[in-house]
Amino acid sequence: MDRVRPPREALRDLAPYDAKHVDAEVMLASNENPLNLPGELLDRLEELVVRIPYNRYPDPMATRLREEIAEANGLEPGNVLVGNGGDELIMDLVLAWGGPGRVVLDFPPTFVMYSIDAKATDSTLVQIPRKPDFSIDEDALMARLARGDVDLVFIANPNNPTGTLAPETLLIDVLNATDALVVVDEAYFEFSRHTMRPHMSRHANLAILRTFSKAFSLAALRAGYLLAHEDVIAELTKVRQPYSVNRFTQAAARLVFRERPVFEAAISQLLRNRDMLVHGLSEIEGVEVFSSEANFVLFRVEHASAVWRDLLKEHSVLVRDFSRTPGLEDCLRVSVGTEEEVRRFLAAMDEIMARRRASAHFGVAAQAARHDEG
Ligand SMILES: *Cc1c(COP(=O)(O)O)cnc(C)c1O
């Protein structure tokens, strides 16, 4: 055959997730921990590598990791599901609670995988745009829930890419107002230090998503976990890929989880670096910076795409361009790096913005000169 029939209609308007995976000296585009695992953990991983039976399938449920996560959260193993990154768990949730004829709700601008997965599964996607300050439109949300047809709700908290934290009272109101499965995505929990965990016992419809990719320096290995009612977890096990979390990832995630106090100092340092980043950006003329409860900062600047390109091409600093996302016109997002990286980014921004101001003045001056001549 010299051709292939098209895939499902739903894919026609779907764009692939584009992480702009390019190399730069200063990588501030994906909200990763800027530091690799501590040396002592790398040493222990090295020992693990040669002891793995590579010919054997991994434990499908990552039982030991699951037990340790459950215990640390005061839950039973049946309340925990480990996935190949939080991304896989989001797809599992959409496969089980979304699908044709089912309604998935999210609050853009937000993490884009919710809508990609909803569209890919032919779910009905309902989006309630955030207000100009990026808070959730509570009136619109409550009105929508009152219709009673919502099946699955995704709330990133703090929200990516805006850094906004939803008030706990709002989240509780949502849990009371609907029997939809409400996923509170706490991918940045270790930075925000806010969690809905205490509300799990009263709300069977609350699921909490976490990841090893951000604070715990493990983005390369893909591990995330979901905390939820055991009946929710049981349903998800029907749609999940059985061997998605490989043996090495399970072992590494266990090691990191057990040793997680080791990361505390680095997390505190990153929070200080975030303050330096916010302060530095707010001092630059022409930049509007939004406050953040996570390890990234959103800011608005005229000609954002050109600034993004200058940062990369002239300074080898990679940030994320959101300027084509509705509601985020002229916005870029920068992850919190090491102190050195934050300084380099701020110096680059200073330079780029000073030059833009100068050429804008020059443009005006040149225009005035022509005017005078004429
Ligand atoms: C990074 C992120 C995730 C999941 O990342 P994984 O690497 O797949 O674990 C989930 N939700 C949000 C909001 C994120 O920013």
Side-chain angles (χ1 to χ4, degrees):
M1 197 54 62
D2 64 351
R3 63 193 147 78
V4 58
R5 64 176 65 189
R8 279 178 24 241
E9 180 71 16
L11 271 61
R12 208 179 38 162
D13 298 321
L14 204 54
Y17 179 80
D18 180 10
K20 291 242 168 33
H21 202 89
V22 298
D23 270 323
E25 284 168 27
V26 181
M27 302 279 278
L28 301 176
S30 297
N31 304 341
E32 299 141 326
N33 189 319
L35 303 175
N36 198 355
L37 293 172
E40 73 232 53
L41 296 192
L42 289 178
D43 290 344
R44 285 162 68 185
L45 284 181
E46 201 176 339
E47 291 164 26
L48 275 171
V49 170
V50 290
R51 291 214 315 261
I52 286 180
Y54 288 97
N55 56 323
R56 302 294 178 197
Y57 282 104
D59 172 355
M61 293 303 286
T63 307
R64 291 161 78 186
L65 175 58
R66 190 186 198 203
E67 285 168 357
E68 286 167 14
I69 291 170
E71 196 193 331
N73 285 282
L75 295 165
E76 296 300 319
N79 299 121
V80 179
L81 185 61
V82 179
N84 185 281
D87 284 356
E88 185 192 27
L89 296 164
I90 292 168
M91 183 50 117
D92 292 343
L93 287 157
V94 174
L95 285 172
W97 260 263
R102 309 266 302 184
V103 176
V104 177
L105 182 61
D106 78 355
F107 307 90
T110 189
F111 191 51
V112 74
M113 291 316 298
Y114 313 142
S115 56
I116 289 181
D117 290 353
K119 289 175 193 165
T121 54
D122 269 321
S123 311
T124 301
L125 174 65
V126 174
Q127 301 199 288
I128 299 179
R130 286 171 182 263
K131 297 198 243 179
D133 67 355
F134 301 129
S135 63
I136 289 173
D137 185 339
E138 188 164 1
D139 295 341
L141 165 57
M142 288 305 166
R144 193 61 188 73
L145 290 178
R147 287 163 62 174
D149 63 345
V150 176
D151 297 294
L152 178 59
V153 182
F154 283 106
I155 304 177
N157 203 47
N159 187 43
N160 175 14
T162 63
T164 325
L165 200 63
E168 194 168 290
T169 48
L170 182 150
L171 299 177
I172 293 169
D173 288 349
V174 171
L175 289 165
N176 283 325
T178 182
D179 63 352
L181 181 57
V182 178
V183 181
V184 178
D185 184 342
E186 297 183 355
Y188 301 95
F189 158 65
E190 293 81 10
F191 300 102
S192 77
R193 309 184 201 272
H194 280 267
T195 179
M196 287 297 283
R197 164 66 192 91
H199 301 283
M200 280 182 68
S201 55
R202 253 164 299 133
H203 299 283
N205 60 336
L206 168 62
I208 295 173
L209 185 68
R210 305 252 181 89
T211 179
F212 285 87
S213 299
K214 308 289 164 52
F216 294 131
S217 295
L218 225 50
L221 293 191
R222 317 301 301 123
Y225 61 94
L226 191 78
L227 309 177
H229 192 280
E230 60 186 22
D231 295 346
V232 171
I233 303 291
E235 296 300 327
L236 295 173
T237 59
K238 298 178 185 175
V239 298
R240 68 182 291 270
Q241 299 293 308
Y243 301 114
S244 58
V245 186
N246 70 67
R247 272 184 193 269
F248 185 65
T249 296
Q250 290 186 30
R254 277 183 65 210
L255 181 61
V256 162
F257 195 73
R258 254 177 291 146
E259 301 295 333
R260 64 193 180 286
V262 168
F263 291 81
E264 274 310 317
I267 290 169
S268 301
Q269 179 65 50
L270 287 170
L271 293 177
R272 286 194 292 277
N273 296 356
R274 179 185 68 198
D275 294 343
M276 181 170 99
L277 182 55
V278 169
H279 180 75
L281 275 172
S282 69
E283 303 254 282
I284 301 175
E285 199 184 320
V287 174
E288 182 190 2
V289 54
F290 301 98
S291 66
S292 168
E293 299 292 331
N295 66 332
F296 54 81
V297 173
L298 188 77
F299 62 99
R300 184 167 272 148
V301 61
E302 228 179 277
H303 306 298
S305 287
V307 172
W308 180 88
R309 194 195 52 229
D310 289 352
L311 281 168
L312 181 62
K313 297 282 186 278
E314 292 168 16
H315 300 273
S316 197
V317 175
L318 183 66
V319 301
R320 189 70 65 92
D321 184 0
F322 281 97
S323 61
R324 277 173 294 273
T325 300
L328 296 182
E329 291 75 16
D330 273 332
C331 284
L332 303 177
R333 187 196 68 195
V334 56
S335 307
V336 179
T338 61
E339 203 174 323
E340 158 82 23
E341 289 171 326
V342 170
R343 283 189 207 290
R344 259 189 78 169
F345 164 77
L346 288 173
M349 279 299 293
D350 250 335
E351 208 263 337
I352 291 167
M353 294 303 288
R355 201 186 47 216
R356 290 190 159 267
R357 277 195 301 276
S359 66
H361 279 298
F362 180 75
V364 171
Q367 230 171 22
R370 274 196 302 278
H371 188 260
D372 285 349
E373 281 163 20

